[in-house]
Amino acid sequence: MKEFVLIFRLNNQSQEKPSAEQMQERMNWLAGIAAQNKLVDKGNTLSPVSAKTVRPDNLVTDGPYTEIKEFVSGYIIVKTDTIDEAVEMAKANPIFKLGGNIEVREIMKRD
C-alpha cells in the first residue's frame, strides 16, 4: 500500500476552533479510517498564527503566505492502494461543511 497525506485547509481562522458537534464529526470520520486499518498517522492541527517562513538569504516572514486567503489547518496520513481511494476517504470529511478543502498527496519515501 502507498501512503498519502491529507492536508486540510480552511478559509478563515474563526473556523480553527470547531464546535463540540463538529469535533465529534471529525473524530467519527477519523475512527472510520482507523477501523479499516488505513490510518498511518492521526496528524496534528497546525497553528495559523504561530508560523514563520524562512526564505533564501535568511529572510524570515510571518506566516506561510500572507497573500493567500486560506491556510493549512492540519493533516493526517493514510495508507491506500491508490490516490483515488484516498480521495474517497477525504470526500467524507466534514471540513467541507465549513467551506474548507483537502489536498491529497502521495508520500514519496526516500530510501
Side-chain angles (χ1 to χ4, degrees), residues 67-78:
E67 68 275 4
I68 63 171
K69 294 181 182 174
E70 58 186 19
F71 66 95
V72 175
S73 62
Y75 68 94
I76 68 166
I77 299 174
V78 299

Side-chain angles (χ1 to χ4, degrees), residues 90-101:
K91 286 180 180 179
N93 188 286
I95 197 169
F96 303 111
K97 294 177 184 177
L98 300 173
N101 64 72

